[in-house]
Amino acid sequence: RGHCRGPARLSAAVNATVSQALSASGIDPREARLLLAEATGFSEAAVLAHPERVLPAEAEARFRAWTDRRRAGEPVAYLLGRREFYGLSLAVNPAVLIPRPETELLVELALERIPRNGEIAVLDLGTGSGAVALAVKHLRPHARVTAIEASAAALDVARRNAARLGLEVKFHHGQWFAPLGVERFALILANPPYVAAGDPHLSQGDLRFEPRQALVGGDDGLGAIRGIVRSVRAYLEPHGWFLCEHGLGQDEAVRHMLETAGLAGIATWPDLAGIGRVSGGCTPLTLPTAQA
């Protein structure tokens, strides 16, 4: 029996400390701290404050497995199964695009156009994890929010996020406006695929692991946006706004599409990096802008 206990003691004795595990991770230090906190159940503050702490064997093994996968390029959000977006913790998996900080601009612009107690109808096209629709519903609870998603697997993620957060959003499965009848909306939001099919970034970084159908918008990246803009007037209320996220250098082309579609008040708004990120316009009479 003594021989059985000896190896267990030895195994515990050679477990890595927090500092040893972090230094051997081979990944970005901030990401390493985040993964180690998740693997151990410690807070990130505790990980920093107690570098001498010895890791439990199970936590160390979990951390090593995660860092191996991260070194191979797998996104941290998929490893953890969640991503923070506009103050909400959203479940994510490889069926959905990982919510980006730049998409928060789309939410900010939407909130400016929704009165705090307004019961207006809002539509989110290509909802993915539900990030935009749920952020809007969370901060404008009186709004009637509808979200559409073509991927059944992604829609399941969005529905589960809504249920866990206790936010009431009407979800439809289908391509862009196809699931709708004669409904019209005061505000339509879209974060469609807008990466060109041949873009080299698709074979780099996190994009390698994300769903291609949520990224690629045809040969020039604008195919999905063209399709949406051609139909958007039919689903906007007389004073309705349409806001669309797009990529670097696409703003001029998108504004031209909006003009051709007969929208007014057309503009582009930059993200925090100064890149034109969201373009939009309204049917001839604009909605009043709510106080932030």
Side-chain angles (χ1 to χ4, degrees):
R1 291 177 183 172
H3 290 298
C4 290
R5 289 195 297 271
R9 290 196 193 98
L10 179 61
S11 174
V14 298
N15 285 353
T17 64
V18 166
S19 62
Q20 289 169 337
L22 290 174
S23 63
S25 70
I27 63 174
D28 176 88
R30 173 66 180 83
E31 294 179 346
R33 292 194 297 271
L34 183 63
L35 291 175
L36 187 59
E38 182 72 14
T40 58
F42 306 157
S43 67
E44 286 191 69
V47 166
L48 286 170
H50 301 286
E52 77 289 347
R53 181 179 289 180
V54 176
L55 299 177
E58 184 178 347
E60 183 184 354
R62 186 181 305 119
F63 176 68
R64 286 179 174 174
W66 280 346
T67 54
D68 286 346
R69 290 164 64 186
R70 180 57 184 148
R71 284 196 300 273
E74 193 168 345
V76 170
Y78 289 161
L79 296 175
L80 297 179
R82 67 175 186 274
R83 170 58 64 90
E84 297 293 320
F85 179 82
Y86 223 92
L88 299 176
S89 180
L90 300 173
V92 296
N93 63 32
V96 299
L97 200 68
I98 299 167
R100 264 76 167 172
E102 53 265 32
T103 302
E104 294 192 350
L105 173 63
L106 184 62
V107 176
E108 291 169 8
L109 293 168
L111 295 176
E112 290 175 1
R113 289 159 176 78
I114 306 173
R116 286 193 176 276
N117 296 314
E119 298 182 6
I120 71 170
V122 179
L123 175 63
D124 177 32
L125 295 171
T127 198
S129 64
V132 171
L134 294 172
V136 168
K137 184 64 178 178
H138 176 63
L139 291 164
R140 295 292 186 269
H142 296 284
R144 303 188 309 277
V145 181
T146 298
I148 295 175
E149 173 55 52
S151 162
L155 193 61
D156 181 62
V157 174
R159 283 179 166 142
R160 286 189 283 111
N161 276 326
R164 181 175 51 81
L165 293 167
L167 296 170
E168 185 178 351
V169 170
K170 182 188 295 184
F171 291 102
H172 292 295
H173 180 216
Q175 186 73 27
W176 309 133
F177 300 104
L180 301 175
V182 295
E183 300 160 83
R184 290 195 173 216
F185 300 85
L187 178 61
I188 297 177
L189 309 170
N191 181 16
Y194 54 73
V195 180
D199 193 313
H201 291 95
L202 291 168
S203 60
Q204 301 170 12
D206 289 357
L207 297 188
R208 293 173 294 165
F209 293 83
E210 295 184 272
R212 191 58 57 102
Q213 68 270 22
L215 291 167
V216 177
D219 290 343
D220 64 355
L222 293 167
I225 298 176
R226 284 192 192 94
I228 292 169
V229 173
R230 274 197 296 266
S231 301
V232 74
R233 277 291 300 271
Y235 296 94
L236 279 172
E237 292 180 358
H239 312 297
W241 266 96
F242 170 64
L243 297 169
C244 180
E245 180 174 327
H246 51 71
L248 173 66
Q250 295 178 333
D251 52 308
E252 184 176 355
V254 174
R255 288 195 303 272
H256 178 70
M257 293 179 206
L258 298 175
E259 184 178 358
T260 301
L263 296 184
I266 296 166
T268 296
W269 294 266
D271 61 19
L272 292 176
I275 295 169
R277 181 64 59 186
V278 174
S279 293
C282 58
T283 45
L285 293 175
T286 61
L287 280 169
T289 298
Q291 294 298 313

